[in-house]
């Protein structure tokens, strides 16, 4: 697996190239991972309005490339880099206190405050630290991106129906139909269902690896990052 197109190549391109394409690519990347940052800010005690405001301001500055000046090609995990940037930003915000309207009132990424708070209201009422909440939501974001790609591959009506039937057997799935019931529904043997589930899981694993590979700076880190994200989802 090559590392020609990763989150780091997007960041480095945005740092080094003053082009619309580079900035748009960075904006899309930010739009993918805004919720883990929002959840981190909320868990630190900010109100919903404050968290939305701070998240937008953070991305405003991020997209202005202020945190990117000293980024090196071998920069490690994008997850850790983004959280460190956010922590630095929040520390600076405390010092600035109530300065001018954050980001000049500009919203550079699509952040739906109502959606954000609805999602946050569903977070378990536990004692997880803001860092742990961020990492758990990051892990879910990676899984969601993987599912989006897998669903995209099943675009024909027949494939789409098969995917809908089998997705409950994927990691994190909450299927309510047993393999036997599904075999009866599809008019095939349970063994045929097992083969289909196995193939779908294999493809899911391949796509998950590709998603994770985009967030680290070397292939050697991929397996380690996958293990870590699984441990986060497992409640460790």
């Amino acid at each position: 697996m090559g590392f020609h197109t990763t989150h780091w190549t997007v960041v480095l391109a945005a740092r080094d190239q003053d082009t619309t394409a580079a900035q748009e690519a960075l904006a899309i990347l930010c739009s993918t991972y805004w919720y883990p940052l929002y959840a981190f800010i909320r868990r630190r005690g900010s109100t919903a309005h404050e968290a939305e405001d701070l998240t937008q301001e953070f991305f405003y500055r991020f997209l202005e490339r202020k945190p990117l000046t000293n980024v090196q090609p071998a920069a490690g995990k994008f997850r850790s880099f983004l959280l460190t940037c956010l922590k630095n930003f929040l520390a600076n915000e405390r010092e600035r206190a109530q300065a001018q309207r954050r980001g000049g009132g500009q919203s550079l990424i699509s952040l739906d405050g109502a959606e954000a708070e609805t999602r946050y209201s569903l977070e378990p009422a536990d004692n997880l630290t803001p860092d742990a909440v961020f990492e758990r939501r990051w892990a879910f974001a990676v899984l969601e991106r993987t599912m989006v790609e897998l669903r995209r591959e099943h675009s024909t009506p027949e494939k789409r129906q098969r995917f809908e039937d089998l997705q409950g057997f994927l990691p994190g799935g909450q299927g309510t139909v047993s393999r036997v019931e599904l075999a009866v529904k599809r008019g095939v043997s349970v063994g045929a269902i097992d083969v289909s589930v196995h193939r779908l899981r294999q493809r899911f694993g391949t796509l998950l690896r590709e998603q994770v590979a985009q967030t680290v700076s070397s292939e050697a880190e991929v397996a380690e990052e996958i293990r870590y994200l699984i441990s986060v989802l497992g409640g460790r």
Side-chain angles (χ1 to χ4, degrees), residues 30 37 47 61-62 96 130 162 167-168 170 173-174 190 198:
C30 291
L37 299 177
T47 66
R61 297 195 189 175
F62 193 84
R96 293 197 329 156
R162 183 166 65 245
Q167 65 175 327
L170 293 172
Q174 299 180 351
V190 174
H198 176 70

Side-chain angles (χ1 to χ4, degrees), residues 10-18 22-23 26 65 68-73:
V10 171
V11 168
L12 294 170
R15 182 195 68 179
D16 299 333
Q17 302 172 19
D18 187 15
Q23 286 303 96
L26 189 60
R65 298 172 292 180
L68 308 182
T69 305
N70 298 317
V71 174
Q72 300 301 316

Side-chain angles (χ1 to χ4, degrees), residues 61-82:
R61 297 195 189 175
F62 193 84
L63 293 170
E64 287 293 301
R65 298 172 292 180
K66 294 187 184 335
L68 308 182
T69 305
N70 298 317
V71 174
Q72 300 301 316
K77 297 177 178 66
F78 186 73
R79 165 176 56 83
S80 301
F81 165 72
L82 201 58

Side-chain angles (χ1 to χ4, degrees), residues 156-231:
T156 65
E158 181 181 352
K159 288 183 177 180
R160 188 180 304 116
Q161 183 59 58
R162 183 166 65 245
F163 176 78
E164 295 298 330
D165 287 341
L166 298 175
Q167 65 175 327
F169 296 97
L170 293 172
Q174 299 180 351
T176 58
V177 178
S178 71
R179 289 158 42 253
V180 173
E181 291 171 322
L182 187 55
V184 172
K185 173 186 174 181
R186 297 188 65 85
V188 297
S189 68
V190 174
I193 295 297
D194 288 341
V195 170
S196 295
V197 169
H198 176 70
R199 288 174 177 169
L200 192 65
R201 285 175 175 171
Q202 279 191 320
R203 185 56 186 159
F204 177 87
T206 298
L207 293 175
L208 175 62
R209 184 176 178 84
E210 290 176 0
Q211 286 295 317
V212 170
Q214 294 180 48
T215 72
V216 296
S217 54
S218 71
E219 188 168 359
E221 294 176 311
V222 175
E224 174 192 347
E225 183 73 347
I226 290 176
R227 285 194 297 270
Y228 179 75
L229 293 179
I230 290 174
S231 74

